[in-house]
Amino acid sequence: MTRLALLLVAGLSAVAAADEPSPPVPPPLALPRASGPIVVDGDISDPGWKGAAVIDTFFETVFGDNRAPSVTTVAWLTYDDRYLYIAVRCDDPDPRKIRAPYVDRDQVIGTDDNVAVFLDTRNDRRTAQEFRVSPRGIQADGVFNDASGNEDFSPDFYYDTAGRITEKGWQAEMRIPLSSLRYPRADPQKWGIIVWRNYPRDFRYAIYSSPQPRGANCLVCLSRELTGLTHLPSSSHLVVAPYASAQDVAQADAPGQPLGKGQTDKHVGLDVKWNPSASTALDATINPDFSQVEADVAQIAVNNRFALFFPEKRPFFLEGADLFDTPIQAVYTRTITSPRWGARSTGKLGASTYTVLVTQDRGGGSLILPGPTGSDFAPQDFSSVVGIARVRRDFGRSFLGLLFTGRENEGQGHNHVVGTDGQWRPNDKDILAGQLLVSDTATPNRPDVTPAWDGRQLTSHALDTSWNHSTHGIDWFARYRDFGNGFRADEGFVPQVGYREGLLNAGYKFFPKGVFTFVRPFLNAEDAVDRQGKLITRQVDPSVLLLGRRNLQALVQLQLRRERTADQLLSFTRVSYLVQIDPSRRFTRIGASGLAGEDVDVLNVRVGRGLSVTAFATVRPTDHLTLDANSALSWLNVDRPPANAAVTGGNRLFTAQVQRLKATYNFSPRMFLRLIGQYVSTRRDPSLYVIEVPRRSGDFSGSALFSYRLNWQTALFVGYGDERALDDREHLARTERQLFVKLSYAFQR
């Protein structure tokens, strides 16, 4: 596999097309101090904007290679002793077509008009804080990480926005407290900035303040430099955010039985964030509230080999979240399920960025037990102390990092992981990255829970190396992984160990004009073996990626695969697909994804024929009401096992589905009412299984949530939940009722 990958890469390099020249990054921009007061109300005629720095040269990247946009965008920037001010004016030839719905915070996405400002305040050309604003003044914020290309909207920052729609388009203002930014101790300061306008019409036009060369392997590295920032404050900033919550839960002993008396849990806690300087953040929490006011969207969990991943949403873990973004996901903070307390420090010392976190976890949830061909779970029913430390030192656009994670279980063993990672960017086309980790584990002595927990000692390694090459035409991604049998990362998400894997994804990019604006045919090839050299999986996937009109995105793969299941090699062929489009301002997104063809029946170790499809749609009957519908269906047909060959009936092994409808009415940018109904069910034919399984299972969950937020930490939530499950008569019977209220307030100094 490795020799084949190298030969293919060499051949592709020989025929790679030369890059088209792109305009240079605009020269540094000096920021003057505000000449007068600025009121953030969407009106950019305040005297403070006179003399502000102006960005009026933008580049559009859909049809041409950084051509002049068809619409005018202008941005103004200035600052004072407390704030950075940014104003934008987005002209539009037909303001009636502006897509500006009322949505919740962080729901300002690519289907709608918005402007995003990427600020690289550390001037490392690696990560940037992202601040978005819509024509309604609604915010979305996050962190963009050039090292991985990830745009993470989990982190939240304090800033003020206002917007208004005018006869010529729309305009907006931002006031970002300097205390929300992370910049080094230096005078004068040098930052990086990119202003990006999303303009969705017949195509989704991307309009940037810095040119974006086709084939570029970074975004933040292309930032325009900001200069002239002097005498910025280095004084401390303190946020104290107490909360009080109460939840009353009534449960039934079994489906169909009456609900018992409700039990009320009351919680009072405190989150504290102190920035002793602009480059350092200290977080502490006592009895933290990590409740999920947005329920996880259900995923079909039938016929899966490995654990399902859900993203982190809890505020305490999100300072410096980009530092945990490494090739091997050795940090997955959702494994910390119920902390009693927590403390962490995040900051930058010279060219080094670090974060250190320690917390006591009450336990709960499940622990992943990984293997070479599948993963299992065990209950995490013991208290533990968790520590995570990460440091990264930059060398220009390259870096080296160190990582440590540790969990000390109370009388139930431990897990320690330590290692290094790095990334080297020798030019603007290539990224070479690698990570090496070593784990030391003492498993709990609980053979009654799982045979894997017998008090054994495990020491092993995990290696990930990759090479990413990107140009205007040719591109490839090659990766090699080596995970030992005994590697464990209990604070991470590593569901597979005990294997070696080589992967190559190579393709060529075309930029036509017409219905499609981007076409990338590519080949994905992968080969994985266990530690004894026995094949686990071998796949070759000829594929094509298409982008086009109305933000059309389509991906089609022909998957030719062999996989080992229960020591048997099974071959199968199927088609994988994803299609989505943003038709209009009312039907903002419609799409579907799934698989069709042959698939493996994991439990019974055989190949069947089936279909998996997930359809989704977002509809906005008015600018205040949003309807999100998700429907997932999966089924598999198989031949009957010899023991049941005489049984009459069909060949449908299972049919699993998830139906979810969410209706959100946003009264204003700060207040909404949300209703969710979700039904999950699975039908099986027990005569087609080699073990006993239930014929049908299913449950329904409904919820209502009212939210009023002044900012992301000052908020009121009132909620109601209803849970139902199928009883013996296959009727949905009530199993649980929940009432929930939470009030939090952020005091700032």
Side-chain angles (χ1 to χ4, degrees):
M1 176 66 185
T2 303
R3 182 177 298 177
L4 173 63
L6 292 176
L7 289 173
L8 182 55
V9 167
L12 292 173
S13 299
V15 301
D19 291 345
E20 293 182 6
S22 295
V25 175
L29 180 68
L31 259 64
R33 283 185 169 260
S35 57
I38 294 176
V39 178
V40 179
D41 56 4
D43 181 0
I44 55 178
S45 63
D46 294 330
W49 292 117
K50 295 180 180 178
V54 178
I55 299 177
D56 56 8
T57 300
F58 283 80
F59 306 86
E60 192 271 308
T61 61
V62 172
F63 291 102
D65 194 354
N66 296 294
R67 72 172 188 178
S70 59
V71 291
T72 300
T73 308
V74 183
W76 293 266
L77 295 90
T78 186
Y79 73 104
D80 59 22
D81 291 336
R82 297 182 60 192
Y83 301 102
L84 173 69
Y85 300 90
I86 303 171
V88 293
R89 192 191 76 219
C90 302
D91 292 349
D92 196 303
D94 188 355
R96 296 172 300 176
K97 294 183 179 180
I98 293 175
R99 300 187 183 186
Y102 290 89
V103 295
D104 192 18
R105 196 178 198 275
D106 280 346
Q107 297 303 308
V108 179
I109 60 175
T111 59
D112 308 313
D113 285 79
N114 65 81
V115 164
V117 177
F118 298 86
L119 287 175
D120 174 20
T121 54
R122 294 188 173 113
N123 200 34
D124 59 11
R125 296 298 189 267
R126 186 175 317 286
T127 59
Q129 292 174 262
E130 180 179 353
F131 301 87
R132 285 193 187 186
V133 62
S134 78
R136 305 288 186 188
I138 301 172
Q139 303 174 356
D141 49 2
V143 172
F144 192 94
N145 185 3
D146 258 1
S148 62
N150 289 341
E151 187 177 31
D152 184 1
F153 284 99
S154 299
D156 293 301
F157 310 109
Y158 289 102
Y159 67 113
D160 299 306
T161 54
R164 61 174 59 184
I165 297 175
T166 68
E167 294 180 353
K168 296 182 179 180
W170 66 278
Q171 56 195 41
E173 293 176 296
M174 296 185 186
R175 180 175 61 200
I176 304 173
L178 296 173
S179 58
S180 289
L181 304 176
R182 304 288 180 261
Y183 48 85
R185 294 181 179 178
D187 194 60
Q189 294 276 327
K190 290 184 179 180
W191 297 353
I193 188 172
I194 291 178
V195 180
W196 169 68
R197 178 181 177 183
N198 187 65
Y199 182 58
R201 296 297 185 272
D202 53 337
F203 289 89
R204 182 184 175 188
Y205 298 92
I207 301 171
Y208 296 89
S209 60
S210 295
Q212 306 295 307
R214 288 177 171 173
N217 59 18
C218 58
L219 172 69
V220 183
C221 71
L222 301 170
S223 301
R224 183 177 185 179
E225 191 171 75
L226 296 180
T227 63
L229 295 142
T230 60
H231 306 297
L232 297 188
S234 58
S235 57
S236 64
H237 177 240
L238 178 66
V239 179
V240 179
Y243 83 91
S245 69
Q247 185 178 30
D248 184 84
V249 179
Q251 295 179 320
D253 293 333
Q257 298 295 317
L259 295 179
K261 184 178 180 180
Q263 296 183 349
T264 302
D265 292 328
K266 301 176 183 177
H267 297 278
V268 177
L270 183 69
D271 291 314
V272 179
K273 180 182 286 288
W274 178 41
N275 298 101
S277 68
S279 61
T280 304
L282 302 176
D283 292 90
T285 186
I286 301 172
N287 193 29
D289 173 45
F290 292 140
S291 59
Q292 296 284 111
V293 296
E294 171 73 69
D296 291 320
V297 177
Q299 301 182 50
I300 291 178
V302 180
N303 205 46
N304 287 330
R305 296 173 180 269
F306 297 103
L308 298 176
F309 177 86
F310 293 95
E312 178 62 84
K313 300 177 181 178
R314 302 171 297 181
F316 175 75
F317 297 105
L318 298 177
E319 179 75 39
D322 60 293
L323 289 171
F324 296 148
D325 190 4
T326 60
I328 300 171
Q329 193 162 2
V331 177
Y332 177 48
T333 50
R334 283 186 63 140
T335 61
I336 305 171
T337 54
S338 180
R340 287 190 176 92
W341 52 265
R344 70 182 301 185
S345 173
T346 305
K348 187 176 179 69
L349 298 173
S352 298
T353 308
Y354 71 89
T355 187
V356 179
L357 179 153
V358 63
T359 183
Q360 185 179 30
D361 188 8
R362 298 181 182 92
S366 298
L367 188 69
I368 296 176
L369 303 178
T373 59
S375 60
D376 206 347
F377 298 95
Q380 188 172 276
D381 55 357
F382 36 75
S383 178
S384 57
V385 175
V386 178
I388 302 173
R390 165 76 168 156
V391 61
R392 186 184 70 199
R393 184 169 182 84
D394 298 333
F395 301 93
R397 292 177 56 200
S398 305
F399 69 85
L400 286 174
L402 295 173
L403 175 67
F404 169 81
T405 71
R407 181 182 284 266
E408 297 289 339
N409 304 318
E410 291 186 357
Q412 300 292 339
H414 66 261
N415 174 249
H416 301 152
V417 177
V418 64
T420 183
D421 66 288
Q423 188 180 97
W424 180 39
R425 294 177 179 247
N427 51 54
D428 61 356
K429 300 178 181 62
D430 296 287
I431 303 175
L432 286 85
Q435 185 171 20
L436 175 63
L437 300 174
V438 176
S439 70
D440 174 70
T441 306
T443 68
N445 193 9
R446 299 275 302 278
D448 57 313
V449 176
T450 172
W453 282 0
D454 56 4
R456 74 182 72 178
Q457 300 285 327
L458 300 172
T459 301
S460 195
H461 71 280
L463 172 69
D464 185 299
T465 60
S466 65
W467 178 15
N468 190 348
H469 179 80
S470 180
T471 70
H472 178 276
I474 192 74
D475 62 45
W476 69 72
F477 175 78
R479 185 181 69 194
Y480 176 75
R481 283 188 156 192
D482 186 332
F483 283 67
N485 284 317
F487 182 78
R488 300 290 185 271
D490 289 352
E491 299 315 302
F493 187 81
V494 183
Q496 185 179 17
V497 298
Y499 71 100
R500 297 184 179 95
E501 176 194 68
L503 178 146
L504 175 67
N505 182 301
Y508 196 91
K509 298 188 288 287
F510 298 91
F511 300 90
K513 296 180 180 179
V515 175
F516 299 110
T517 59
F518 178 86
V519 178
R520 180 181 181 258
F522 64 95
L523 180 70
N524 190 74
E526 182 179 352
D527 201 273
V529 299
D530 63 17
R531 306 302 299 179
Q532 288 73 44
K534 295 172 62 176
L535 184 68
I536 296 176
T537 180
R538 176 171 293 157
Q539 63 186 71
V540 178
D541 303 334
S543 313
V544 62
L545 172 66
L546 304 168
L547 305 179
R549 186 179 293 274
R550 303 288 180 183
N551 197 27
L552 170 67
Q553 301 178 43
L555 173 64
V556 181
Q557 289 186 321
L558 175 62
Q559 299 180 347
L560 310 173
R561 301 195 172 185
R562 298 186 72 193
E563 290 187 0
R564 181 172 297 278
T565 304
D567 212 32
Q568 292 188 40
L569 272 177
L570 302 176
S571 300
F572 59 97
T573 302
R574 64 189 182 189
V575 175
S576 169
Y577 60 91
L578 165 66
V579 180
Q580 76 172 38
I581 191 169
D582 303 344
S584 67
R585 62 191 298 263
R586 294 303 178 204
F587 291 87
T588 57
R589 177 157 291 174
I590 298 173
S593 64
L595 301 167
E598 296 176 317
D599 203 354
V600 173
D601 172 8
V602 176
L603 188 60
N604 299 293
V605 194
R606 56 191 169 183
V607 174
R609 297 157 302 283
L611 177 74
S612 174
V613 59
T614 299
F616 50 90
T618 299
V619 182
R620 293 195 172 106
T622 73
D623 284 343
H624 291 270
L625 177 62
T626 300
L627 303 176
D628 292 294
N630 295 79
S631 178
L633 173 67
S634 180
W635 55 262
L636 191 67
N637 289 341
V638 297
D639 295 330
R640 289 190 171 276
N644 294 327
V647 178
T648 60
N651 289 3
R652 179 65 54 85
L653 180 72
F654 70 83
T655 301
Q657 63 175 321
V658 175
Q659 311 292 339
R660 187 175 196 260
L661 178 63
K662 179 172 71 173
T664 307
Y665 192 88
N666 288 82
F667 301 92
S668 70
R670 293 180 174 177
M671 182 170 60
F672 71 78
L673 174 66
R674 188 184 67 217
L675 304 176
I676 297 178
Q678 181 170 278
Y679 179 65
V680 181
S681 71
T682 302
R683 288 182 178 271
R684 301 177 178 88
D685 184 346
S687 67
L688 294 173
Y689 285 81
V690 296
I691 63 172
E692 185 177 349
V693 295
R695 180 173 295 276
R696 186 181 180 190
S697 61
D699 60 76
F700 172 83
S701 60
S703 66
L705 179 70
F706 172 80
S707 170
Y708 181 80
R709 286 192 278 194
L710 293 178
N711 55 55
W712 67 276
Q713 271 191 310
T714 300
L716 168 67
F717 296 102
V718 179
Y720 172 81
D722 186 274
E723 304 286 336
R724 298 171 185 263
L726 290 177
D727 59 17
D728 295 337
R729 298 173 300 168
E730 295 194 355
H731 294 164
L732 281 172
R734 202 177 199 189
T735 58
E736 184 175 287
R737 183 266 302 151
Q738 301 178 26
L739 295 172
F740 174 80
V741 61
K742 175 185 174 182
L743 177 64
S744 63
Y745 191 87
F747 298 91
Q748 300 188 60
R749 182 179 64 83

